[in-house]
Amino acid sequence: MQTLTRAALAADLDRALRHTNALTDRISTDDFSARYDDPPAWMIGPFHRDPDLTFTAPDWTDPTGIGWTASSVFNPTLGIAPDERGTAVLTDEAGREARHALHLLYRASPRKESTSSRIGHAVLTVDGWVDDGAPAIWPTLPNEALGVEDPKLYRAEGRWWCFYNGIWDTRDTPERDTYPDAGDVGCDIMLAVSDDLEHWQKTGIVVPYEVSHLWAKGAVIPRDDRGRAVRVDGEYRMYVSEGCGGRLTVGHSDDMRHWTFTHEDYLDVSAVGPQLHEVACAVVDGDRLVLDFFHADPSGAFAAGQALYDVHEPARQLDVHAGGSLAWGGLLRWPGPYTPPGQPGDRVFAQGWDAPADSRTMYLYREAAR
């Protein structure tokens, strides 16, 4: 693997600033999440935008010193703090305690869907969104030379776990010699761990190359409506839906840090379209497990769908239907900052696809009444 250098980061930034993609430049959250046709009762959604929760990222400082900047923020993940104890963390001018602080980790890119991404952090306080204007996770490792992107946040084992993608150039590397069928760009699922959502310790690659063949994407772990990773029959599971030699793959772990992987055909989308692109999130709702996924519809257009499982049989698909949220960072119930304990709130997720060009704006969406 090539060494991470400032020159390499600067060259990738230059490429990213010239990036354009006719498909992703016009992608819209409403295309997927706002309307479903005849959904069965088990499906989650549809969703509508809540303008009161709109987030706009500030200008950032650049720890790499290359003059990096972002024009787009998207593919975020949400978490609720404080932890399971429910301790109040904020108080407004009226003395009300905010018991449900909403945290946002998000991808920021020089151009939407370009390389050279960074991961930022913001928190919704009694005074609105607060962002310290610096990346929370940025390239520091050789396999992050083309950026870090698409965080997925989980609460487990008393800590915060952020799985994200490290992007790198595979050309002229020993790894490419070992896996000649790989493309010129590699994608590794990476892990960073935190106790406070501000200071992150990177632990490295999660999916080994003998499994990923230099490309693995989508660390989708079943989580509950508070954003907590859920053990399924005693273990944590990870649905990896992209890469891995073109085979659906499942990770197994006892501690969220160490994973083993098996190939399992856990999802069949043929009833809604010819091709699966990627699983977005896995929602545990009582005894139900729902996978929200990105696929091609019969015409080949981008579409979303959901699949139903019993939480105790997470690889045996019970039903599938068109319509989904594509909540890449997961769905959770956020009751708002002052809702009394016991009030569940609405399911919410965030996405920045619909933001005006070059605005660094992100919208939050709430589950709508059918």
Side-chain angles (χ1 to χ4, degrees):
M1 189 174 295
Q2 298 169 348
T3 303
L4 179 68
T5 65
R6 183 171 172 176
L9 292 174
D12 184 54
L13 173 60
D14 181 65
R15 286 190 296 269
L17 289 170
R18 291 181 275 111
H19 173 82
T20 184
N21 185 307
L23 289 174
T24 57
D25 282 351
R26 66 171 184 266
I27 201 166
S28 168
T29 302
D30 282 346
D31 290 344
F32 308 108
S33 68
R35 295 169 300 278
Y36 303 171
D37 293 330
D38 301 319
W42 58 264
M43 288 189 70
I44 298 168
F47 293 81
H48 66 90
R49 187 187 304 172
D50 185 341
D52 292 335
L53 299 179
T54 298
F55 164 72
T56 300
D59 290 327
W60 282 8
T61 57
D62 174 22
T64 64
I66 61 171
W68 182 92
T69 187
S71 70
S72 183
V73 294
F74 55 102
N75 288 8
T77 187
L78 295 172
I80 300 175
D83 62 16
E84 296 84 351
R85 296 168 295 179
T87 306
V89 293
L90 299 167
T91 304
D92 69 3
E93 293 179 354
R96 295 178 299 175
E97 292 180 338
R99 304 182 63 86
H100 310 283
L102 190 65
H103 286 257
L104 174 73
L105 291 178
Y106 61 93
R107 175 180 174 182
S109 292
R111 294 289 184 268
K112 185 164 66 175
E113 299 289 355
S114 74
T115 58
S116 199
S117 295
R118 313 288 189 256
I119 294 171
H121 170 242
V123 58
L124 185 59
T125 73
V126 293
D127 299 315
W129 287 102
V130 174
D131 187 315
D132 64 7
I137 300 173
W138 66 93
T140 59
L141 301 172
N143 66 332
E144 299 172 347
L146 301 186
V148 294
E149 55 188 52
D150 299 352
K152 295 183 186 296
L153 181 65
Y154 304 94
R155 180 71 177 173
E157 308 295 319
R159 308 189 75 186
W160 296 98
W161 307 77
C162 179
F163 296 84
Y164 64 96
N165 298 332
I167 310 299
W168 55 289
D169 188 342
T170 70
R171 294 173 297 179
D172 300 320
T173 64
E175 292 85 2
R176 181 65 175 275
D177 292 339
T178 303
Y179 301 99
D181 58 330
D184 291 345
V185 176
C187 180
D188 294 332
I189 294 177
M190 306 289 285
L191 173 61
V193 186
S194 176
D195 294 317
D196 59 9
L197 288 167
E198 295 181 6
H199 304 91
W200 293 92
Q201 176 187 6
K202 294 181 178 181
T203 67
I205 297 173
V206 174
V207 185
Y209 289 150
E210 56 265 29
V211 175
S212 74
H213 292 205
L214 310 190
W215 189 279
K217 196 173 184 182
V220 175
I221 299 171
R223 70 177 200 172
D224 67 12
D225 59 11
R226 297 287 294 176
R228 297 172 294 207
V230 174
R231 288 183 182 269
V232 176
D233 289 343
E235 68 173 11
Y236 297 111
R237 293 176 64 91
M238 177 189 297
Y239 295 99
V240 183
S241 53
E242 188 173 327
C244 298
R247 303 176 67 184
L248 293 178
T249 299
V250 175
H252 308 265
S253 177
D254 187 56
D255 61 3
M256 290 288 283
R257 184 186 294 270
H258 304 95
W259 294 84
T260 59
F261 293 89
T262 57
H263 296 299
E264 299 180 36
D265 293 327
Y266 59 81
L267 179 59
D268 178 3
V269 304
S270 59
V272 294
Q275 181 182 359
L276 173 69
H277 293 315
E278 190 176 348
V279 175
C281 64
V283 180
V284 175
D285 187 5
D287 289 333
R288 295 182 300 176
L289 172 65
V290 177
L291 296 189
D292 188 284
F293 59 87
F294 184 34
H295 70 102
D297 71 12
S299 71
F302 290 159
Q306 293 181 25
L308 174 66
Y309 305 78
D310 184 294
V311 73
H312 301 295
E313 295 183 274
R316 187 172 72 88
Q317 183 176 317
L318 301 175
D319 198 2
V320 66
H321 199 277
S325 68
L326 295 191
W328 299 107
L331 296 161
L332 53 77
R333 289 191 185 274
W334 185 62
Y338 308 116
T339 303
Q343 300 292 324
D346 300 325
R347 287 190 181 93
V348 297
F349 74 96
Q351 185 52 270
W353 288 337
D354 290 334
D358 302 326
S359 68
R360 297 199 301 271
T361 296
M362 184 172 292
Y363 301 118
L364 272 73
Y365 298 79
R366 289 185 179 272
E367 191 170 16
R370 294 186 184 176

